[in-house]
Amino acid sequence: MAITDILEFAHLTDEDIESLGRELDAIRRDVEDTRGRKDAEYIRRTIALQRALEVGGRLAIMGSRWRSAALVGAGLLAASKIIENMELGHNVSHGQWDWMNDPEIHSTSWEWDQTGPSAHWKRAHNYSHHTYTNIVGMDHDVGFGILRMTRDEKWRPRNLVQPLGNLVLALTFEWGIALHDLDAAKLEAGVPATQLLSEPNKEFARKVASQVGKDFVLFPLLAGPAWRRALGANLTANVVRNLWAYAVIFCGHFPDGAEKFTMGQFETETHEEWYLRQMLGSANFTAGPTMAFMSGNLCYQIEHHLFPDLPSNRYAEVAVRVRALCDKYDLPYTTGNLATQYWKALRTIFKLSLPDQLLRRTSDDAPETSSERRFQSPGSSVVDRVRFDPVTGRKRGLRSALHEARLEARQAVKRVTDTTA
């Protein structure tokens, strides 16, 4: 099964986890104490850029007589929507800029340019996902209710078509998130799913009418004779935004190394263990300044899960310190280029569409799901696994253990191959 004892899995002692927690608390305090003018200027410049791109894109689309101009307009509008969705809507709604006390840039007032209401998303994501990150049966963002992303979830015949479902989800990602959050809002409100006039349904209908009316009625009408081209450009911009947001989210949550956990682990979890679960349950992807900005700085997903309400423009500096802590405690820092991270997530989607009897690995040692049982042998315990390098004196923990487990697995395959040869 998924991880039931995070300290045993991570090869840490009680003293280790307390020390790690203190050091992560110190990182939070340092950023909070140094927030100021530069950070405020950053978010205000971002808002100005996003609005300029949107105005430029809308004007280019509405005034275009040639397809090339409409394509340029669609590109500008897509960039605008990506920035609004990733760097503004997502991060502002997390409360990253509430410290400014600016009513325009506040988690309680920002309504993002996406189909689902911000209020629904904040309830489902800010609380549920960031509290119960990757806990099977509690975090409904694991597969968004339609994809089987861990062997700890029971296989069902419908999973056979999840590769196709994944493609549909990617193209319509804003709708998938909106419907997912609507279900969560209904569950929290205690209203039946069949109650059409429930308050969550009314909130959802108002937002859909506003969003669809803006992109697919109002602006095409303003384009006059070019309304068909405007309609196509708006649709293109939305699809591009959906695909990019989908890729960023999947690369941060579902590649190999983003571990899953059991409810039992959560029941006794401490503040320090919550930190550790965020570190082990998330993944980064490498990005330069432009890609980081366009991803809402969610290329630093590990740092975002550790500190979801700290300003996103500070994640790069936080990442340096978090990575140093991973080195200090011999913990993995899961990262890779965007293509590699997405390929690993896509491979999991295709593999887990199949019944378990067709898979070689189990939920204890699979690439996408692991547990402390991966390291257990008769008579072993966490104390046996906390070791020190005899030459350097450095702790040898989870990162070393995972490396040794991979080597042992390769050697086992080689022995079988040599025997049958």
Side-chain angles (χ1 to χ4, degrees):
M1 61 177 65
I3 296 167
T4 61
D5 186 331
I6 198 168
L7 292 187
E8 182 175 354
F9 178 78
H11 296 67
L12 295 176
T13 64
D14 291 339
E15 292 75 17
D16 289 330
I17 188 65
E18 289 175 5
S19 176
L20 176 63
R22 286 194 298 270
E23 295 191 74
L24 289 168
D25 282 339
I27 294 175
R28 166 177 281 283
R29 286 194 302 272
D30 288 348
V31 174
E32 289 176 337
D33 291 344
T34 55
R35 292 178 303 198
R37 180 177 54 83
K38 289 185 178 180
D39 302 299
E41 289 176 351
Y42 169 83
I43 193 63
R44 291 191 173 111
R45 285 197 306 269
T46 299
I47 292 171
L49 172 63
Q50 183 270 324
R51 290 175 177 171
L53 287 171
E54 180 172 8
V55 170
R58 299 284 189 194
L59 290 176
I61 292 168
M62 289 190 295
S64 63
R65 294 184 179 180
W66 300 278
R67 180 171 297 180
S68 57
L71 288 174
V72 170
L76 292 174
L77 184 58
S80 165
K81 285 179 173 286
I82 286 171
I83 294 169
E84 199 288 326
N85 192 190
M86 308 301 293
E87 186 62 278
L88 296 177
H90 176 274
N91 293 336
V92 172
S93 295
H94 262 297
Q96 294 183 6
W97 308 97
D98 287 1
W99 58 274
M100 294 170 57
N101 294 316
D102 185 332
E104 183 186 8
I105 315 172
H106 201 278
S107 62
T108 59
S109 58
W110 191 276
E111 185 59 51
W112 62 358
D113 183 48
Q114 189 159 301
T115 306
S118 290
H120 286 188
W121 181 81
K122 284 185 288 187
R123 285 194 292 265
H125 181 85
N126 288 11
Y127 176 72
S128 179
H129 174 59
H130 279 271
T131 301
Y132 309 123
T133 308
N134 281 18
I135 297 176
V136 179
M138 298 181 76
D139 180 5
H140 300 296
D141 279 14
V142 178
F144 299 103
I146 61 172
L147 302 176
R148 183 182 182 230
M149 299 303 296
T150 171
R151 298 168 203 232
D152 293 285
E153 295 178 344
K154 182 180 179 181
W155 181 85
R156 292 177 174 82
R158 70 182 186 187
N159 294 125
L160 288 170
V161 298
Q162 76 176 28
L164 177 60
N166 174 64
L167 177 60
V168 174
L169 178 64
L171 292 168
T172 62
F173 196 56
E174 64 172 319
W175 286 93
I177 295 298
L179 293 171
H180 173 70
D181 295 343
L182 174 61
D183 288 340
K186 290 179 181 178
L187 184 64
E188 183 184 25
V191 298
T194 55
Q195 185 179 330
L196 294 179
L197 296 180
S198 66
E199 190 56 34
N201 275 347
K202 291 178 182 178
E203 293 170 345
F204 180 73
R206 286 193 292 268
K207 183 61 189 294
V208 168
S210 171
Q211 195 71 27
V212 173
K214 180 188 71 172
D215 279 344
F216 302 114
V217 178
L218 175 62
F219 282 106
L221 285 176
L222 292 175
W227 68 270
R228 288 187 181 86
R229 190 164 291 164
L231 192 66
N234 276 279
L235 179 62
T236 299
N238 277 289
V239 170
V240 170
R241 185 272 313 278
N242 288 343
L243 290 172
W244 177 245
Y246 155 87
V248 169
I249 297 305
F250 271 59
C251 287
H253 293 83
F254 302 126
D256 299 355
E259 305 295 353
K260 315 300 184 296
F261 307 86
T262 61
M263 294 184 190
Q265 161 58 38
F266 176 75
E267 289 174 356
T268 59
E269 188 173 75
T270 64
H271 169 66
E272 293 81 9
E273 289 172 1
W274 179 88
Y275 269 146
L276 183 58
R277 176 159 56 85
Q278 306 309 312
M279 296 172 74
L280 298 180
S282 310
N284 287 4
F285 62 86
T286 52
T290 301
M291 184 181 287
F293 176 71
M294 295 301 289
S295 72
N297 283 290
L298 293 180
C299 55
Y300 302 108
Q301 192 69 232
I302 296 171
E303 289 70 26
H304 173 62
H305 272 264
L306 285 169
F307 311 111
D309 57 349
L310 291 185
S312 58
N313 63 309
R314 306 294 292 273
Y315 284 155
E317 66 185 76
V318 169
V320 175
R321 298 176 66 177
V322 171
R323 194 158 195 162
L325 288 178
C326 288
D327 290 339
K328 178 178 179 179
Y329 292 95
D330 200 26
L331 293 170
Y333 186 83
T334 305
T335 190
N337 64 60
L338 183 70
T340 298
Q341 297 297 74
Y342 180 68
W343 163 246
K344 290 177 179 178
L346 188 64
R347 183 187 61 190
T348 295
I349 292 168
F350 275 79
K351 280 195 306 183
L352 297 192
S353 68
L354 301 174
D356 287 343
Q357 55 265 36
L358 298 181
L359 304 175
R360 289 189 300 116
R361 301 289 186 88
T362 71
S363 59
D364 293 326
D365 64 356
E368 80 286 346
T369 310
S370 193
S371 85
E372 65 273 14
R373 295 185 184 185
R374 182 173 191 164
F375 310 112
Q376 288 178 350
S377 59
S380 70
S381 69
V382 66
V383 175
D384 297 327
R385 295 295 179 178
V386 178
R387 298 163 298 163
F388 293 86
D389 189 293
V391 177
T392 65
R394 293 186 62 189
K395 182 184 292 294
R396 298 180 65 192
L398 176 58
R399 185 162 58 188
S400 296
L402 288 171
H403 176 69
E404 292 167 7
R406 285 190 288 268
L407 289 178
E408 290 175 4
R410 293 194 194 103
Q411 291 169 357
V413 171
K414 185 177 185 301
R415 286 195 295 270
V416 171
T417 304
D418 292 344
T419 301
T420 56

